Amino acid sequence: MNLAEWFKSQKDSAVARKELGLFLGRSEAAVMAYTYGYRKAPDEVIEKIAEFTGGEVTMDDIKTQHQVFKDKEGSFAFSSLKGQRLGRPIVSVCKSSTRDEKVSFMAAIANEIALEVGA
């Protein structure tokens, strides 16, 4: 079972994430990064995750999730900056999208920054 599924199986997933973060000595953001594979978890962290979940989430599950994320097709997103924090993506597009989808993506960016096309 992957870590995201394990969290969903808990009564209160938000509390479970916080408790795991405290158990690991890591931030909740780090726990989420390990959950979805954005960040590669060190083996000692994976062992602690397996211990915390009672063996329901294994080392292979965490490593597989990271590999799945790495193997995903690339994409681009346009987000606003709020101070030094990056906001949620306003618009995004995959590398394999059609030409029309890519043109719509560029038009949406131009619209967001109030750029006059053809100027």
Side-chain angles (χ1 to χ4, degrees), residues 11-27:
K11 287 182 181 179
D12 190 346
S13 60
V15 170
R17 277 194 304 273
K18 285 184 182 186
E19 288 176 351
L20 179 57
L22 291 172
F23 183 75
L24 297 174
R26 305 285 172 124
S27 69

Side-chain angles (χ1 to χ4, degrees), residues 43-103:
D43 287 345
E44 53 274 2
V45 170
I46 296 173
E47 289 169 5
K48 285 185 173 184
I49 292 171
E51 179 185 334
F52 184 82
T53 61
E56 291 183 53
V57 179
T58 65
M59 184 176 279
D60 287 340
D61 295 329
I62 300 290
K63 288 184 175 183
T64 299
Q65 187 62 41
H66 177 65
Q67 191 61 45
V68 165
F69 178 76
K70 276 181 37 180
D71 292 345
K72 278 188 174 178
E73 171 187 321
S75 61
F76 297 94
F78 182 73
S79 300
S80 62
L81 288 175
K82 299 173 184 173
Q84 291 186 349
R85 300 185 94 181
L86 189 63
R88 292 184 183 264
I90 296 167
V91 63
S92 63
V93 68
C94 293
K95 287 183 181 177
S96 65
S97 296
T98 65
R99 183 181 188 289
D100 289 342
E101 290 170 327
K102 290 176 182 175
V103 168

